[in-house]
Amino acid sequence: MEQLDKQQLNEDSCHTGSDRKSHHSDKTKSNLVSRLNRIEGQIRGVKGLIEKDTYCDDVLNQIAAIQSALNGVGKLLLEHHMNSCVIERIQEGDNEVIKELMITINKLMK
Amino acid sequence: MEQLDKQQLNEDSCHTGSDRKSHHSDKTKSNLVSRLNRIEGQIRGVKGLIEKDTYCDDVLNQIAAIQSALNGVGKLLLEHHMNSCVIERIQEGDNEVIKELMITINKLMK
Amino acid sequence: MEQLDKQQLNEDSCHTGSDRKSHHSDKTKSNLVSRLNRIEGQIRGVKGLIEKDTYCDDVLNQIAAIQSALNGVGKLLLEHHMNSCVIERIQEGDNEVIKELMITINKLMK
Amino acid sequence: MEQLDKQQLNEDSCHTGSDRKSHHSDKTKSNLVSRLNRIEGQIRGVKGLIEKDTYCDDVLNQIAAIQSALNGVGKLLLEHHMNSCVIERIQEGDNEVIKELMITINKLMK
């Protein structure tokens, strides 16, 4: 119940029940989705460049731009995750979230 | 003339005329395009995950996978570029290609 | 009081008073210091290679190895930091630690 | 003989004989060595910070700075390598240098 009240106050929150869920606010969601739409368009653009035999160096620059955009989505999600799930679960005494987070950060840092 | 013959033998080549073009062999092209199609599908998948409020950590793992797939496309293109345009232009005495290449590598290495 | 007891049990802890300090256990400290000693030796090694005109490609491979070793130190410290300071400060209700952590992770992820 | 003359003109050059060597100009060498000296000092600094229980987040910021400085050395060496060995070996018809270079770049790009 307390959990429910907290969710009403905090739109961006984290469910850690049987089915773990993240709750992004509508604003966060539409920000993430519009970034991903743009990235999808960039990927399609690169396919077109390759089909038209565009000079590789120009295509590589496009790929660097997509990597950077994707990195931006990753950082935004990570920040959101820390500010909701990580804080909530630590406050509930569930420190396992840190182990899980380190595994994810290691993948993102390669 | 010798240059032309070489291009007939080597399907992956580089035009550095007024309109610079890269010529990927059909095999290279279809490899790159099918990788990009898969990445496009992964991006769409991530959008779906966000819309369904999937747990952030799972989404972040998907993003790390996309970054790695995109990195693979970048390396393949870079290798192709070096084996065609970079070699050809250096053989033609045009060492400017190295300056351009370093700028691109710096972007890819961030 | 409870906080103090916890610190006696947990050697790796975080002071967030007027002078913020990290407390690494002796084991963590000697692990970090011995990794850094090795890295220092690798850096000196690279200087020697450059002075002896060693083939660049071999030197670049050494540098890639140092980057990877340094990354390892960063990850170890980050993990330690999360398991001590981040957990403690969140439990104390000080969520500012997340903002600070995101800035640092962004630098480490470039 | 022609090789020797070229070396007199181009101080930064590449030997690809039985013992492969790189020849950096004195200026390049001292630039690289002074950067590495600075990095060595930074590594020692981090050891000191850890021994004095400095707050992890501050240490992590130092590590990010060292990574960036080391990356700078890598890029400088790579640029030098491309402008000397890579160009020379391609001009001599030895395209194996590209295969070797891709392996190294893949390590540097992780």
Side-chain angles (χ1 to χ4, degrees):
Chain A
M1 185 59 110
E2 186 212 325
Q3 197 59 21
L4 266 166
D5 291 340
K6 218 161 69 195
Q7 255 164 74
Q8 280 157 356
L9 289 169
N10 177 8
E11 262 192 279
D12 272 355
S13 74
C14 168
H15 298 243
T16 60
S18 53
D19 62 326
R20 284 198 310 196
K21 286 273 179 194
S22 290
H23 260 241
H24 305 278
S25 68
D26 285 346
K27 203 182 136 204
T28 307
K29 240 186 222 185
S30 77
N31 182 347
L32 287 166
V33 169
S34 76
R35 280 166 183 254
L36 288 163
N37 279 334
R38 209 156 34 220
I39 291 171
E40 209 185 315
Q42 286 174 299
I43 299 281
R44 263 197 300 270
V46 167
K47 269 195 296 182
L49 294 178
I50 285 166
E51 272 154 1
K52 282 184 299 181
D53 291 321
T54 304
Y55 186 58
C56 298
D57 195 78
D58 298 332
V59 184
L60 284 167
N61 275 289
Q62 270 302 305
I63 287 176
I66 302 175
Q67 280 177 328
S68 162
L70 195 59
N71 223 12
V73 172
K75 283 172 184 176
L76 198 67
L77 254 175
L78 185 62
E79 192 173 2
H80 166 76
H81 181 52
M82 296 225 229
N83 277 313
S84 54
C85 306
V86 174
I87 288 180
E88 279 179 37
R89 286 176 62 184
I90 289 173
Q91 281 170 344
E92 289 162 6
D94 173 10
N95 295 345
E96 276 299 291
V97 71
I98 292 291
K99 201 177 285 175
E100 181 194 283
L101 182 61
M102 270 311 297
I103 294 171
T104 305
I105 288 176
N106 282 346
K107 284 186 197 154
L108 291 171
M109 285 172 68
K110 260 154 301 165
Chain B
M1 185 59 109
E2 183 213 326
Q3 200 57 25
L4 265 165
D5 291 341
K6 215 162 72 196
Q7 258 165 58
Q8 281 158 356
L9 290 168
N10 176 10
E11 264 191 278
D12 273 357
S13 74
C14 167
H15 298 243
T16 59
S18 53
D19 62 325
R20 284 202 306 199
K21 285 274 179 194
S22 291
H23 261 240
H24 305 279
S25 67
D26 285 346
K27 202 182 138 204
T28 306
K29 241 185 220 184
S30 78
N31 182 347
L32 287 166
V33 169
S34 76
R35 281 166 181 253
L36 288 163
N37 280 334
R38 210 157 33 221
I39 292 171
E40 211 185 315
Q42 286 174 299
I43 297 282
R44 263 197 301 269
V46 167
K47 270 194 297 182
L49 294 177
I50 285 166
E51 272 153 1
K52 284 185 299 185
D53 290 323
T54 304
Y55 187 58
C56 298
D57 196 78
D58 299 332
V59 185
L60 284 167
N61 275 289
Q62 270 302 305
I63 287 175
I66 302 175
Q67 280 177 327
S68 162
L70 196 59
N71 223 12
V73 172
K75 282 173 184 176
L76 198 66
L77 254 175
L78 186 61
E79 193 173 1
H80 165 76
H81 180 52
M82 295 226 233
N83 277 312
S84 54
C85 305
V86 174
I87 288 181
E88 280 179 36
R89 286 175 63 185
I90 289 173
Q91 282 170 344
E92 289 162 7
D94 172 11
N95 295 345
E96 275 299 291
V97 71
I98 292 292
K99 201 177 285 174
E100 183 195 281
L101 181 62
M102 272 309 299
I103 294 170
T104 304
I105 289 175
N106 282 346
K107 284 185 197 156
L108 292 171
M109 287 173 66
K110 259 155 296 160
Chain C
M1 186 58 111
E2 186 213 324
Q3 199 59 24
L4 264 165
D5 292 340
K6 215 162 71 197
Q7 258 164 59
Q8 280 157 359
L9 290 169
N10 177 7
E11 262 191 278
D12 273 357
S13 73
C14 167
H15 297 243
T16 59
S18 54
D19 60 327
R20 284 201 308 199
K21 285 273 179 195
S22 290
H23 261 243
H24 304 278
S25 68
D26 285 346
K27 201 181 138 206
T28 306
K29 240 187 223 185
S30 78
N31 182 348
L32 287 167
V33 169
S34 77
R35 279 167 183 255
L36 288 163
N37 279 334
R38 209 157 34 220
I39 291 170
E40 210 186 315
Q42 286 174 299
I43 298 282
R44 263 197 301 271
V46 167
K47 269 195 297 182
L49 294 178
I50 285 166
E51 272 154 1
K52 283 186 299 184
D53 290 322
T54 304
Y55 187 59
C56 299
D57 194 79
D58 299 331
V59 184
L60 284 167
N61 275 289
Q62 270 302 305
I63 286 176
I66 302 175
Q67 280 177 326
S68 161
L70 196 59
N71 223 11
V73 172
K75 283 172 183 175
L76 198 67
L77 254 175
L78 186 61
E79 193 172 2
H80 166 77
H81 181 52
M82 296 226 231
N83 277 313
S84 55
C85 305
V86 174
I87 288 180
E88 279 179 36
R89 287 176 62 185
I90 289 173
Q91 282 170 343
E92 289 162 7
D94 172 10
N95 295 345
E96 276 299 291
V97 71
I98 292 290
K99 202 178 284 174
E100 182 195 282
L101 182 61
M102 270 311 297
I103 294 170
T104 305
I105 288 176
N106 282 346
K107 283 184 196 157
L108 291 171
M109 285 173 67
K110 261 153 297 164
Chain D
M1 186 59 107
E2 185 212 325
Q3 198 59 22
L4 265 166
D5 291 341
K6 216 160 73 197
Q7 257 165 71
Q8 280 157 356
L9 289 169
N10 176 9
E11 261 192 282
D12 273 357
S13 74
C14 168
H15 298 241
T16 59
S18 52
D19 61 327
R20 283 199 310 197
K21 285 273 179 195
S22 290
H23 261 241
H24 304 278
S25 68
D26 285 346
K27 203 182 137 203
T28 306
K29 241 187 221 184
S30 78
N31 182 348
L32 288 166
V33 169
S34 77
R35 279 166 182 254
L36 288 162
N37 279 334
R38 208 155 39 218
I39 291 171
E40 210 186 315
Q42 286 174 299
I43 298 282
R44 264 197 301 270
V46 167
K47 270 194 296 182
L49 294 177
I50 285 166
E51 272 153 2
K52 282 184 300 183
D53 290 323
T54 304
Y55 186 59
C56 299
D57 195 78
D58 299 332
V59 184
L60 284 167
N61 275 289
Q62 270 302 306
I63 287 176
I66 302 175
Q67 280 177 327
S68 161
L70 196 59
N71 223 12
V73 171
K75 282 172 183 176
L76 199 66
L77 254 175
L78 185 61
E79 193 173 3
H80 166 76
H81 180 53
M82 296 226 231
N83 277 312
S84 54
C85 305
V86 174
I87 289 180
E88 279 179 38
R89 286 177 61 185
I90 289 173
Q91 282 169 343
E92 288 162 7
D94 172 11
N95 296 344
E96 275 299 291
V97 71
I98 291 292
K99 201 178 284 175
E100 182 195 281
L101 181 61
M102 270 312 297
I103 294 169
T104 305
I105 287 176
N106 283 347
K107 285 186 197 156
L108 291 171
M109 285 172 68
K110 261 157 298 166

